[in-house]
Amino acid sequence: MTDRLTILTYHRVLPAPDPLRPGDPDHSIFETQVRTLARFCNVLALDQAVTRMRAGNLPPRSVCITFDDGYADNAEQALPILKKYRIPAVFFVATGFLNGGRMFNDTVIEAVRVWPNTEMDLQDVGLGVQSVRDDDERRATIKALLAKIKYLDSSERDSVAATLASNCDGNLPSNLMMNTEQLRMLVDAGMEIGGHTVTHPILTNLDRRKAEEEIQTGRTELERLTGQEIPGFAYPNGRPGRDYGSEHVGIVRDAGFRYAVSTAVGRADRESDPWQLPRAVCWQRTPMRLLLHLLRMWRIRPEDRVDSMAAAL
């Protein structure tokens, strides 16, 4: 299992379980996962891992940890655990949401959470009437709304999100994303920072000029804020051929990024395109299941990769 790299994807680490975010680990589960990785795997910084993989000298059982988007709990919850076990990670940050921003998917989730009655009448924005009487219905409504909104043009998507927010009387949180101080906390702790555009658009919805602007402006802003080179990039949503295409791979490569990650599922190896590295979601809640999952990922062949991270943002 040398020269095989499993790159794990996270978005958030919650302080406590949240019934509306069942896919995100809480503090306790994340610590169990990190402790397991520290004990049984070689956890590397991703830039270093890609360099070693291409040179053919990765250590056995190589793993990298990545976080997408730039949530505040990355610094508040994940960072202390990573420091405790001396584990590196890379944080791909969409710069437009720093310092009080909120991503459209979080607007949907938080609006559903605090909606003032048991039905959401969204017929004016083409989203029908959704029931939110209990957590089961809320989860179903969140899934349905995100599926309908995700691939809208960015301006239309933001307009729908704003409509949802306006019905919640200002009760939606404005502290979900990192501020610049938290970003610098990650840097000071030795963590790697990666680009993730400015506004997290679906790149295939943009013309080339706008895609270049999103990719390069996000990187430039992160370099300004961190004082460091930004070596890697994560494609927003990340489905090859659906959320980004070969044109965007070329933009990322020509911009000088040394690697980029997608949300295609698989393990990477020396034959992998360094600007389209696959990743894996870490759903496993116990050490044994996590280790079994990693064994499967190390053994999976590149041609067996599947695109099953379609819900990632």
Side-chain angles (χ1 to χ4, degrees):
M1 290 183 286
T2 57
D3 297 333
R4 300 178 186 180
L5 177 64
T6 295
I7 306 170
L8 298 177
T9 306
Y10 292 90
H11 290 83
R12 301 192 60 181
V13 175
L14 307 172
D18 183 345
L20 299 191
R21 297 179 180 270
D24 291 311
D26 63 25
H27 183 102
S28 175
I29 289 172
F30 183 68
E31 180 160 11
T32 296
Q33 293 173 338
V34 170
R35 183 170 58 245
T36 302
L37 295 172
R39 181 178 179 185
F40 295 103
C41 303
N42 286 296
V43 186
L44 306 175
L46 186 49
D47 189 33
Q48 175 194 25
V50 172
T51 299
R52 293 188 64 173
M53 180 176 67
R54 296 178 76 179
N57 63 0
L58 266 179
R61 303 182 305 282
S62 290
V63 172
C64 293
I65 295 174
T66 70
F67 285 85
D68 285 8
D69 301 336
Y71 286 98
D73 54 42
N74 294 180
E76 297 164 349
Q77 303 295 328
L79 181 59
I81 295 170
L82 295 168
K83 290 171 66 175
K84 177 179 177 179
Y85 294 95
R86 299 182 181 180
I87 292 295
V90 56
F91 297 81
F92 296 107
V93 178
T95 56
F97 303 104
L98 292 169
N99 300 307
R102 187 175 57 243
M103 298 181 70
F104 86 93
N105 54 298
D106 293 309
T107 296
V108 170
I109 293 169
E110 299 306 324
V112 169
R113 189 191 307 277
V114 301
W115 200 258
N117 49 54
T118 59
E119 283 191 340
M120 301 176 73
D121 187 348
L122 304 175
Q123 296 179 87
D124 289 347
V125 290
L127 297 175
V129 177
Q130 308 289 335
S131 183
V132 289
R133 291 174 298 184
D134 55 32
D135 285 339
D136 287 339
E137 288 191 345
R138 292 185 187 98
R139 284 191 295 269
T141 291
I142 289 168
K143 182 177 180 179
L145 292 179
L146 291 179
K148 292 178 179 179
I149 295 172
K150 182 183 294 186
Y151 288 102
L152 295 176
D153 176 83
S154 294
S155 60
E156 188 177 1
R157 186 181 71 183
D158 292 343
S159 176
V160 172
T163 299
L164 291 175
S166 69
N167 281 277
C168 296
D169 299 323
N171 290 326
L172 302 188
S174 60
N175 61 348
L176 295 177
M177 310 307 289
M178 278 192 280
N179 56 42
T180 51
E181 181 180 353
Q182 290 168 324
L183 178 65
R184 293 188 182 111
M185 285 172 55
L186 298 176
V187 174
D188 291 344
M191 300 297 162
E192 186 179 319
I193 306 300
H196 200 38
T197 71
V198 178
T199 66
H200 201 283
I202 302 297
L203 291 173
T204 51
N205 284 353
L206 307 181
D207 61 34
R208 182 181 178 89
R209 182 196 63 80
K210 185 62 177 175
E212 290 175 336
E213 181 180 314
E214 281 277 348
I215 292 166
Q216 189 57 59
T217 301
R219 185 188 197 189
T220 300
E221 180 66 2
L222 287 173
E223 290 176 336
R224 183 185 72 81
L225 291 171
T226 65
Q228 293 187 346
E229 179 190 15
I230 303 300
F233 179 79
Y235 299 98
N237 215 53
R239 295 172 62 187
R242 177 62 182 92
D243 303 321
Y244 73 92
S246 59
E247 176 183 29
H248 307 105
V249 176
I251 292 171
V252 169
R253 182 184 61 243
D254 294 345
F257 289 102
R258 290 195 288 271
Y259 71 84
V261 294
S262 71
T263 59
V265 174
R267 51 90 173 164
D269 57 33
R270 291 185 70 182
E271 302 303 315
S272 299
D273 181 347
W275 293 281
Q276 294 191 85
L277 296 171
R279 292 189 284 176
V281 176
C282 193
W283 302 111
Q284 293 70 27
R285 297 314 200 223
T286 67
M288 182 58 71
R289 289 186 177 182
L290 174 57
L291 290 172
L292 289 173
H293 174 65
L294 290 172
L295 283 170
R296 176 182 177 273
M297 295 309 303
W298 283 316
R299 289 171 178 163
I300 194 171
R301 299 172 300 172
E303 57 267 31
D304 291 334
R305 292 170 190 158
V306 293
D307 183 18
S308 63
M309 288 170 64
L313 289 170

